[in-house]
Amino acid sequence: MGKLAKAMSKRGITGPVRTTGRRTVTAEGGAGWSRDVKGELFTLAVTNLVAEDTFYERGRDRDDRFVSLLWEAVAQDAGWVARFVPWLRDGANMRTASVVAAAEYARALAALPADARAAAPTARSVIAGALQRADEPGEFVAYWLAGRRPARNSLPGGVQRGVADAATRLFTERAALKYDGVAQAVRLGDVVELARPTPAAPWQNDLFRYLLDRRHHGDGVATENLPMLRARAQLEAVPAPRRGAELRAWGADAPRRLAEAGVTWEALAGWLGGPMDAVAWSAVVPSMGLMAAVRNLRNLDRAGVDDQVAEQVAARLADAAQVRASRMFPLRFLSAYKAAPSARWARPLEQAVGHSLANVPALPGRTLVLVDQSGSMAARLSARSDLTRAEAAALFGFAVGLRAEEADVYVYGADGGWKDMTPKHRQVRMPKGGSLLRLVEKHGRADLGGTLTWTTLRRTYHGHARVVIVTDEQAHDSPDNLPDVPIITFNVAGYRAAHVEAAPNRVTVGGLSDAGFTMLGHLDTRHRGGWPF
């Protein structure tokens, strides 16, 4: 054990997620502890895909708990919530949860006594900070107005100004083409009408007028200040039967023409009115966002795009700056790895997931990593995801193991019934320079029955400097007679009960993005870990 690890073990590291000392039980009946309001809100928020059922909790109950906790936190410490909500969007990359949190912050703030409200950060600043993509002002407005009578379709002052700030910053020609879908409950034109944003330039004044006309009259005028909208109108004027031939006739100029008209791959498929072939994909790949490219690796293979086009995508996956700018969850690269049928994407996706996990600390000394692969971890992350919590846990746990100076990594669960349950675990070798995605593919399976976290720890711990447990925390057993070293829980589910009481050397971090590793790294280099915002 190195000097740093020895010193940490003696003093005891602490983290910001605290428990109250009040005993409860996990969903499996094991020992549990209630978290304080901030701790419960944080662990829920960084894992909460809004309106999604989980193994132990219905989506509606989970969302109600999220809102209730946020109101409690505003009443306790509005300044903390005001810092947390924008970080939830920027740092944890939780898009819908941050939209809901911003709206509920505004409502909870309005319910505070006048003196507390005056001392708190404004709803305007929190809302503007939480809305980071051009469709999010509309999502915010839809959530705010949900269930209200038509006569109350208005936004109060601070809310209106926060949405207006976001609209001025985010509404562009490209945003209008991508996000102003006619099927949306709240269109971009509705946001302009309700929030009354101030145009930042003459072109945006024309754009706001265009969006209003499109919303109310079905069409808008693309002035000379709106060249992308004009170029799109010219494309739409091409008769449908001639569009495929027109695309081919453009030859090497096709990517430029599509980019100037703000054509996404979805728009191109609609414009062509049929399946996308290699010519179509080759024309749109240069202007595709990285997330769109990753989602379509299988489609590129099926269409038979040549290696030159594939190399363009591979180069972007290998570019750390582009991967980080895309703000994609590491899990998206795992999903693409599972879906893409050809070997040509394996290495680029491995590079991309490495870039997206840049905050994984290189832990010194010996580290014990336990990755929960019990039955509850078989639950999918969302209704639209093909990934499970078991795969998420394996991705995060194995990433720690690969980066650590020396790591013993186990996947674990239990055999038998409730009364005669016995621990079951397998060691996973972490070859230096090994493929994280292949390790997850091979070992990220929720096939180990029940959850005996603490029994497994006692059987696998042999003088390690620290223990990292990646789990949903719903254990059957109790944390008795544990070693006096840092035990860091990486939570990937956000359920109510903590599986161990927060104390020196008993710390919880987590989430579904790379953000949890920032906290883990801080804990291992400082005596006291704080909030990541």
Side-chain angles (χ1 to χ4, degrees), residues 47-74:
T47 57
N48 188 31
L49 303 177
V50 173
E52 296 282 357
D53 291 343
T54 60
F55 190 86
Y56 293 113
E57 196 171 17
R58 292 189 309 168
R60 183 170 182 176
D61 294 340
R62 195 170 171 88
D63 294 343
D64 288 347
R65 180 161 66 93
F66 179 66
V67 171
S68 177
L69 286 167
L70 194 132
W71 276 62
E72 287 186 67
V74 171

PDB file of all heavy atoms in Angstrom, residues 47-74:
ATOM      1  N   THR A  47     -29.134   9.249 -12.460  1.00  0.00           N
ATOM      2  CA  THR A  47     -29.493   7.973 -13.074  1.00  0.00           C
ATOM      3  C   THR A  47     -30.922   7.978 -13.606  1.00  0.00           C
ATOM      4  O   THR A  47     -31.381   6.967 -14.144  1.00  0.00           O
ATOM      5  CB  THR A  47     -29.379   6.826 -12.054  1.00  0.00           C
ATOM      6  OG1 THR A  47     -30.216   7.114 -10.924  1.00  0.00           O
ATOM      7  CG2 THR A  47     -27.950   6.664 -11.566  1.00  0.00           C
ATOM      8  N   ASN A  48     -31.640   9.101 -13.485  1.00  0.00           N
ATOM      9  CA  ASN A  48     -33.082   9.107 -13.726  1.00  0.00           C
ATOM     10  C   ASN A  48     -33.408   9.434 -15.184  1.00  0.00           C
ATOM     11  O   ASN A  48     -33.266  10.576 -15.614  1.00  0.00           O
ATOM     12  CB  ASN A  48     -33.771  10.123 -12.807  1.00  0.00           C
ATOM     13  CG  ASN A  48     -35.288  10.011 -12.891  1.00  0.00           C
ATOM     14  OD1 ASN A  48     -35.820   8.932 -13.122  1.00  0.00           O
ATOM     15  ND2 ASN A  48     -35.977  11.129 -12.721  1.00  0.00           N
ATOM     16  N   LEU A  49     -33.857   8.423 -15.928  1.00  0.00           N
ATOM     17  CA  LEU A  49     -34.385   8.635 -17.264  1.00  0.00           C
ATOM     18  C   LEU A  49     -35.888   8.811 -17.096  1.00  0.00           C
ATOM     19  O   LEU A  49     -36.617   7.861 -16.844  1.00  0.00           O
ATOM     20  CB  LEU A  49     -34.044   7.451 -18.167  1.00  0.00           C
ATOM     21  CG  LEU A  49     -32.537   7.165 -18.260  1.00  0.00           C
ATOM     22  CD1 LEU A  49     -32.277   5.939 -19.117  1.00  0.00           C
ATOM     23  CD2 LEU A  49     -31.780   8.363 -18.796  1.00  0.00           C
ATOM     24  N   VAL A  50     -36.349  10.049 -17.208  1.00  0.00           N
ATOM     25  CA  VAL A  50     -37.695  10.443 -16.787  1.00  0.00           C
ATOM     26  C   VAL A  50     -38.758   9.561 -17.435  1.00  0.00           C
ATOM     27  O   VAL A  50     -38.687   9.231 -18.615  1.00  0.00           O
ATOM     28  CB  VAL A  50     -37.925  11.926 -17.127  1.00  0.00           C
ATOM     29  CG1 VAL A  50     -39.365  12.324 -16.852  1.00  0.00           C
ATOM     30  CG2 VAL A  50     -36.963  12.793 -16.312  1.00  0.00           C
ATOM     31  N   ALA A  51     -39.745   9.172 -16.611  1.00  0.00           N
ATOM     32  CA  ALA A  51     -40.915   8.387 -17.026  1.00  0.00           C
ATOM     33  C   ALA A  51     -40.576   6.943 -17.371  1.00  0.00           C
ATOM     34  O   ALA A  51     -41.381   6.236 -17.967  1.00  0.00           O
ATOM     35  CB  ALA A  51     -41.630   9.044 -18.204  1.00  0.00           C
ATOM     36  N   GLU A  52     -39.396   6.464 -16.977  1.00  0.00           N
ATOM     37  CA  GLU A  52     -38.985   5.097 -17.268  1.00  0.00           C
ATOM     38  C   GLU A  52     -39.119   4.226 -16.021  1.00  0.00           C
ATOM     39  O   GLU A  52     -38.632   4.568 -14.941  1.00  0.00           O
ATOM     40  CB  GLU A  52     -37.533   5.062 -17.749  1.00  0.00           C
ATOM     41  CG  GLU A  52     -37.298   5.775 -19.069  1.00  0.00           C
ATOM     42  CD  GLU A  52     -37.736   4.957 -20.272  1.00  0.00           C
ATOM     43  OE1 GLU A  52     -38.171   3.796 -20.065  1.00  0.00           O
ATOM     44  OE2 GLU A  52     -37.645   5.462 -21.394  1.00  0.00           O
ATOM     45  N   ASP A  53     -39.779   3.065 -16.182  1.00  0.00           N
ATOM     46  CA  ASP A  53     -39.833   2.093 -15.094  1.00  0.00           C
ATOM     47  C   ASP A  53     -38.448   1.496 -14.866  1.00  0.00           C
ATOM     48  O   ASP A  53     -37.644   1.376 -15.791  1.00  0.00           O
ATOM     49  CB  ASP A  53     -40.807   0.964 -15.429  1.00  0.00           C
ATOM     50  CG  ASP A  53     -42.258   1.414 -15.444  1.00  0.00           C
ATOM     51  OD1 ASP A  53     -42.552   2.493 -14.899  1.00  0.00           O
ATOM     52  OD2 ASP A  53     -43.095   0.690 -16.014  1.00  0.00           O
ATOM     53  N   THR A  54     -38.179   1.122 -13.621  1.00  0.00           N
ATOM     54  CA  THR A  54     -36.958   0.401 -13.282  1.00  0.00           C
ATOM     55  C   THR A  54     -37.343  -0.913 -12.618  1.00  0.00           C
ATOM     56  O   THR A  54     -38.530  -1.198 -12.414  1.00  0.00           O
ATOM     57  CB  THR A  54     -36.064   1.225 -12.343  1.00  0.00           C
ATOM     58  OG1 THR A  54     -36.779   1.495 -11.133  1.00  0.00           O
ATOM     59  CG2 THR A  54     -35.654   2.537 -12.989  1.00  0.00           C
ATOM     60  N   PHE A  55     -36.368  -1.722 -12.281  1.00  0.00           N
ATOM     61  CA  PHE A  55     -36.655  -3.047 -11.733  1.00  0.00           C
ATOM     62  C   PHE A  55     -37.461  -2.953 -10.446  1.00  0.00           C
ATOM     63  O   PHE A  55     -38.389  -3.738 -10.225  1.00  0.00           O
ATOM     64  CB  PHE A  55     -35.335  -3.785 -11.485  1.00  0.00           C
ATOM     65  CG  PHE A  55     -35.496  -5.247 -11.151  1.00  0.00           C
ATOM     66  CD1 PHE A  55     -35.583  -6.199 -12.158  1.00  0.00           C
ATOM     67  CD2 PHE A  55     -35.569  -5.673  -9.832  1.00  0.00           C
ATOM     68  CE1 PHE A  55     -35.730  -7.543 -11.861  1.00  0.00           C
ATOM     69  CE2 PHE A  55     -35.721  -7.022  -9.519  1.00  0.00           C
ATOM     70  CZ  PHE A  55     -35.800  -7.959 -10.537  1.00  0.00           C
ATOM     71  N   TYR A  56     -37.128  -2.011  -9.586  1.00  0.00           N
ATOM     72  CA  TYR A  56     -37.764  -1.918  -8.272  1.00  0.00           C
ATOM     73  C   TYR A  56     -38.732  -0.749  -8.140  1.00  0.00           C
ATOM     74  O   TYR A  56     -39.360  -0.607  -7.088  1.00  0.00           O
ATOM     75  CB  TYR A  56     -36.694  -1.766  -7.184  1.00  0.00           C
ATOM     76  CG  TYR A  56     -35.820  -2.971  -6.984  1.00  0.00           C
ATOM     77  CD1 TYR A  56     -34.473  -2.924  -7.308  1.00  0.00           C
ATOM     78  CD2 TYR A  56     -36.340  -4.152  -6.463  1.00  0.00           C
ATOM     79  CE1 TYR A  56     -33.650  -4.028  -7.106  1.00  0.00           C
ATOM     80  CE2 TYR A  56     -35.525  -5.262  -6.259  1.00  0.00           C
ATOM     81  CZ  TYR A  56     -34.184  -5.193  -6.585  1.00  0.00           C
ATOM     82  OH  TYR A  56     -33.377  -6.286  -6.382  1.00  0.00           O
ATOM     83  N   GLU A  57     -38.865   0.092  -9.152  1.00  0.00           N
ATOM     84  CA  GLU A  57     -39.628   1.332  -8.966  1.00  0.00           C
ATOM     85  C   GLU A  57     -40.311   1.726 -10.272  1.00  0.00           C
ATOM     86  O   GLU A  57     -39.678   1.756 -11.329  1.00  0.00           O
ATOM     87  CB  GLU A  57     -38.665   2.445  -8.521  1.00  0.00           C
ATOM     88  CG  GLU A  57     -39.308   3.669  -7.934  1.00  0.00           C
ATOM     89  CD  GLU A  57     -38.261   4.598  -7.341  1.00  0.00           C
ATOM     90  OE1 GLU A  57     -37.064   4.465  -7.664  1.00  0.00           O
ATOM     91  OE2 GLU A  57     -38.647   5.488  -6.557  1.00  0.00           O
ATOM     92  N   ARG A  58     -41.605   2.022 -10.195  1.00  0.00           N
ATOM     93  CA  ARG A  58     -42.324   2.472 -11.383  1.00  0.00           C
ATOM     94  C   ARG A  58     -41.853   3.870 -11.780  1.00  0.00           C
ATOM     95  O   ARG A  58     -41.493   4.681 -10.933  1.00  0.00           O
ATOM     96  CB  ARG A  58     -43.830   2.496 -11.114  1.00  0.00           C
ATOM     97  CG  ARG A  58     -44.460   1.122 -10.927  1.00  0.00           C
ATOM     98  CD  ARG A  58     -45.969   1.237 -10.887  1.00  0.00           C
ATOM     99  NE  ARG A  58     -46.403   2.256  -9.937  1.00  0.00           N
ATOM    100  CZ  ARG A  58     -47.645   2.739  -9.860  1.00  0.00           C
ATOM    101  NH1 ARG A  58     -48.563   2.305 -10.695  1.00  0.00           N
ATOM    102  NH2 ARG A  58     -47.957   3.637  -8.955  1.00  0.00           N
ATOM    103  N   GLY A  59     -41.917   4.137 -13.076  1.00  0.00           N
ATOM    104  CA  GLY A  59     -41.471   5.428 -13.568  1.00  0.00           C
ATOM    105  C   GLY A  59     -42.200   6.594 -12.931  1.00  0.00           C
ATOM    106  O   GLY A  59     -41.591   7.603 -12.569  1.00  0.00           O
ATOM    107  N   ARG A  60     -43.514   6.477 -12.761  1.00  0.00           N
ATOM    108  CA  ARG A  60     -44.293   7.581 -12.177  1.00  0.00           C
ATOM    109  C   ARG A  60     -43.889   7.823 -10.730  1.00  0.00           C
ATOM    110  O   ARG A  60     -43.738   8.968 -10.299  1.00  0.00           O
ATOM    111  CB  ARG A  60     -45.776   7.283 -12.268  1.00  0.00           C
ATOM    112  CG  ARG A  60     -46.641   8.413 -11.761  1.00  0.00           C
ATOM    113  CD  ARG A  60     -48.099   8.189 -12.091  1.00  0.00           C
ATOM    114  NE  ARG A  60     -48.921   9.294 -11.642  1.00  0.00           N
ATOM    115  CZ  ARG A  60     -50.232   9.395 -11.863  1.00  0.00           C
ATOM    116  NH1 ARG A  60     -50.869   8.452 -12.553  1.00  0.00           N
ATOM    117  NH2 ARG A  60     -50.906  10.434 -11.406  1.00  0.00           N
ATOM    118  N   ASP A  61     -43.705   6.738  -9.963  1.00  0.00           N
ATOM    119  CA  ASP A  61     -43.286   6.889  -8.568  1.00  0.00           C
ATOM    120  C   ASP A  61     -41.895   7.518  -8.491  1.00  0.00           C
ATOM    121  O   ASP A  61     -41.621   8.359  -7.622  1.00  0.00           O
ATOM    122  CB  ASP A  61     -43.272   5.534  -7.874  1.00  0.00           C
ATOM    123  CG  ASP A  61     -44.657   4.926  -7.742  1.00  0.00           C
ATOM    124  OD1 ASP A  61     -45.642   5.677  -7.827  1.00  0.00           O
ATOM    125  OD2 ASP A  61     -44.757   3.696  -7.570  1.00  0.00           O
ATOM    126  N   ARG A  62     -41.032   7.113  -9.382  1.00  0.00           N
ATOM    127  CA  ARG A  62     -39.659   7.630  -9.413  1.00  0.00           C
ATOM    128  C   ARG A  62     -39.663   9.122  -9.728  1.00  0.00           C
ATOM    129  O   ARG A  62     -38.960   9.917  -9.102  1.00  0.00           O
ATOM    130  CB  ARG A  62     -38.883   6.846 -10.467  1.00  0.00           C
ATOM    131  CG  ARG A  62     -37.378   6.960 -10.428  1.00  0.00           C
ATOM    132  CD  ARG A  62     -36.831   5.899 -11.389  1.00  0.00           C
ATOM    133  NE  ARG A  62     -35.404   6.023 -11.615  1.00  0.00           N
ATOM    134  CZ  ARG A  62     -34.484   5.448 -10.854  1.00  0.00           C
ATOM    135  NH1 ARG A  62     -34.837   4.740  -9.807  1.00  0.00           N
ATOM    136  NH2 ARG A  62     -33.193   5.585 -11.144  1.00  0.00           N
ATOM    137  N   ASP A  63     -40.495   9.521 -10.707  1.00  0.00           N
ATOM    138  CA  ASP A  63     -40.571  10.934 -11.074  1.00  0.00           C
ATOM    139  C   ASP A  63     -41.182  11.769  -9.948  1.00  0.00           C
ATOM    140  O   ASP A  63     -40.731  12.895  -9.687  1.00  0.00           O
ATOM    141  CB  ASP A  63     -41.393  11.104 -12.354  1.00  0.00           C
ATOM    142  CG  ASP A  63     -40.721  10.468 -13.565  1.00  0.00           C
ATOM    143  OD1 ASP A  63     -39.508  10.193 -13.497  1.00  0.00           O
ATOM    144  OD2 ASP A  63     -41.416  10.242 -14.573  1.00  0.00           O
ATOM    145  N   ASP A  64     -42.210  11.233  -9.293  1.00  0.00           N
ATOM    146  CA  ASP A  64     -42.811  11.954  -8.161  1.00  0.00           C
ATOM    147  C   ASP A  64     -41.782  12.144  -7.041  1.00  0.00           C
ATOM    148  O   ASP A  64     -41.729  13.202  -6.402  1.00  0.00           O
ATOM    149  CB  ASP A  64     -44.022  11.188  -7.628  1.00  0.00           C
ATOM    150  CG  ASP A  64     -45.224  11.249  -8.570  1.00  0.00           C
ATOM    151  OD1 ASP A  64     -45.195  12.077  -9.507  1.00  0.00           O
ATOM    152  OD2 ASP A  64     -46.160  10.459  -8.376  1.00  0.00           O
ATOM    153  N   ARG A  65     -40.987  11.118  -6.791  1.00  0.00           N
ATOM    154  CA  ARG A  65     -39.952  11.227  -5.761  1.00  0.00           C
ATOM    155  C   ARG A  65     -38.925  12.287  -6.143  1.00  0.00           C
ATOM    156  O   ARG A  65     -38.467  13.067  -5.300  1.00  0.00           O
ATOM    157  CB  ARG A  65     -39.282   9.861  -5.562  1.00  0.00           C
ATOM    158  CG  ARG A  65     -38.191   9.844  -4.509  1.00  0.00           C
ATOM    159  CD  ARG A  65     -37.898   8.424  -4.024  1.00  0.00           C
ATOM    160  NE  ARG A  65     -37.323   7.564  -5.032  1.00  0.00           N
ATOM    161  CZ  ARG A  65     -36.015   7.388  -5.212  1.00  0.00           C
ATOM    162  NH1 ARG A  65     -35.147   8.049  -4.452  1.00  0.00           N
ATOM    163  NH2 ARG A  65     -35.565   6.574  -6.139  1.00  0.00           N
ATOM    164  N   PHE A  66     -38.569  12.332  -7.418  1.00  0.00           N
ATOM    165  CA  PHE A  66     -37.612  13.329  -7.901  1.00  0.00           C
ATOM    166  C   PHE A  66     -38.132  14.749  -7.645  1.00  0.00           C
ATOM    167  O   PHE A  66     -37.419  15.604  -7.112  1.00  0.00           O
ATOM    168  CB  PHE A  66     -37.376  13.101  -9.400  1.00  0.00           C
ATOM    169  CG  PHE A  66     -36.431  14.067 -10.037  1.00  0.00           C
ATOM    170  CD1 PHE A  66     -35.089  14.098  -9.685  1.00  0.00           C
ATOM    171  CD2 PHE A  66     -36.866  14.944 -11.012  1.00  0.00           C
ATOM    172  CE1 PHE A  66     -34.205  14.977 -10.286  1.00  0.00           C
ATOM    173  CE2 PHE A  66     -35.999  15.827 -11.625  1.00  0.00           C
ATOM    174  CZ  PHE A  66     -34.662  15.847 -11.255  1.00  0.00           C
ATOM    175  N   VAL A  67     -39.380  15.007  -8.001  1.00  0.00           N
ATOM    176  CA  VAL A  67     -39.960  16.336  -7.825  1.00  0.00           C
ATOM    177  C   VAL A  67     -40.055  16.685  -6.343  1.00  0.00           C
ATOM    178  O   VAL A  67     -39.717  17.801  -5.920  1.00  0.00           O
ATOM    179  CB  VAL A  67     -41.340  16.418  -8.498  1.00  0.00           C
ATOM    180  CG1 VAL A  67     -42.052  17.729  -8.131  1.00  0.00           C
ATOM    181  CG2 VAL A  67     -41.195  16.309 -10.018  1.00  0.00           C
ATOM    182  N   SER A  68     -40.512  15.738  -5.526  1.00  0.00           N
ATOM    183  CA  SER A  68     -40.639  15.996  -4.093  1.00  0.00           C
ATOM    184  C   SER A  68     -39.285  16.324  -3.462  1.00  0.00           C
ATOM    185  O   SER A  68     -39.160  17.268  -2.669  1.00  0.00           O
ATOM    186  CB  SER A  68     -41.258  14.770  -3.409  1.00  0.00           C
ATOM    187  OG  SER A  68     -41.327  14.943  -2.016  1.00  0.00           O
ATOM    188  N   LEU A  69     -38.258  15.566  -3.840  1.00  0.00           N
ATOM    189  CA  LEU A  69     -36.922  15.815  -3.298  1.00  0.00           C
ATOM    190  C   LEU A  69     -36.395  17.175  -3.742  1.00  0.00           C
ATOM    191  O   LEU A  69     -35.752  17.892  -2.961  1.00  0.00           O
ATOM    192  CB  LEU A  69     -35.968  14.711  -3.758  1.00  0.00           C
ATOM    193  CG  LEU A  69     -36.136  13.349  -3.089  1.00  0.00           C
ATOM    194  CD1 LEU A  69     -35.365  12.288  -3.866  1.00  0.00           C
ATOM    195  CD2 LEU A  69     -35.659  13.397  -1.634  1.00  0.00           C
ATOM    196  N   LEU A  70     -36.661  17.547  -4.972  1.00  0.00           N
ATOM    197  CA  LEU A  70     -36.159  18.823  -5.453  1.00  0.00           C
ATOM    198  C   LEU A  70     -36.793  19.983  -4.688  1.00  0.00           C
ATOM    199  O   LEU A  70     -36.119  20.944  -4.320  1.00  0.00           O
ATOM    200  CB  LEU A  70     -36.395  18.962  -6.961  1.00  0.00           C
ATOM    201  CG  LEU A  70     -35.597  20.102  -7.585  1.00  0.00           C
ATOM    202  CD1 LEU A  70     -34.885  19.651  -8.842  1.00  0.00           C
ATOM    203  CD2 LEU A  70     -36.469  21.308  -7.868  1.00  0.00           C
ATOM    204  N   TRP A  71     -38.107  19.893  -4.431  1.00  0.00           N
ATOM    205  CA  TRP A  71     -38.763  20.936  -3.648  1.00  0.00           C
ATOM    206  C   TRP A  71     -38.183  21.008  -2.234  1.00  0.00           C
ATOM    207  O   TRP A  71     -37.956  22.105  -1.710  1.00  0.00           O
ATOM    208  CB  TRP A  71     -40.270  20.655  -3.589  1.00  0.00           C
ATOM    209  CG  TRP A  71     -41.032  21.173  -4.775  1.00  0.00           C
ATOM    210  CD1 TRP A  71     -40.867  20.794  -6.079  1.00  0.00           C
ATOM    211  CD2 TRP A  71     -42.062  22.162  -4.759  1.00  0.00           C
ATOM    212  NE1 TRP A  71     -41.745  21.484  -6.879  1.00  0.00           N
ATOM    213  CE2 TRP A  71     -42.487  22.317  -6.102  1.00  0.00           C
ATOM    214  CE3 TRP A  71     -42.671  22.912  -3.762  1.00  0.00           C
ATOM    215  CZ2 TRP A  71     -43.496  23.216  -6.457  1.00  0.00           C
ATOM    216  CZ3 TRP A  71     -43.679  23.800  -4.105  1.00  0.00           C
ATOM    217  CH2 TRP A  71     -44.083  23.955  -5.440  1.00  0.00           C
ATOM    218  N   GLU A  72     -37.950  19.857  -1.627  1.00  0.00           N
ATOM    219  CA  GLU A  72     -37.344  19.854  -0.291  1.00  0.00           C
ATOM    220  C   GLU A  72     -35.960  20.496  -0.313  1.00  0.00           C
ATOM    221  O   GLU A  72     -35.596  21.255   0.596  1.00  0.00           O
ATOM    222  CB  GLU A  72     -37.237  18.420   0.227  1.00  0.00           C
ATOM    223  CG  GLU A  72     -38.539  17.784   0.655  1.00  0.00           C
ATOM    224  CD  GLU A  72     -38.293  16.425   1.292  1.00  0.00           C
ATOM    225  OE1 GLU A  72     -37.696  16.387   2.386  1.00  0.00           O
ATOM    226  OE2 GLU A  72     -38.669  15.408   0.671  1.00  0.00           O
ATOM    227  N   ALA A  73     -35.191  20.179  -1.340  1.00  0.00           N
ATOM    228  CA  ALA A  73     -33.840  20.729  -1.437  1.00  0.00           C
ATOM    229  C   ALA A  73     -33.871  22.231  -1.643  1.00  0.00           C
ATOM    230  O   ALA A  73     -33.038  22.968  -1.082  1.00  0.00           O
ATOM    231  CB  ALA A  73     -33.080  20.054  -2.575  1.00  0.00           C
ATOM    232  N   VAL A  74     -34.817  22.736  -2.421  1.00  0.00           N
ATOM    233  CA  VAL A  74     -34.941  24.192  -2.613  1.00  0.00           C
ATOM    234  C   VAL A  74     -35.271  24.859  -1.284  1.00  0.00           C
ATOM    235  O   VAL A  74     -34.716  25.919  -0.955  1.00  0.00           O
ATOM    236  CB  VAL A  74     -36.011  24.515  -3.678  1.00  0.00           C
ATOM    237  CG1 VAL A  74     -36.302  26.012  -3.711  1.00  0.00           C
ATOM    238  CG2 VAL A  74     -35.546  24.048  -5.060  1.00  0.00           C
TER     239      VAL A  74
END
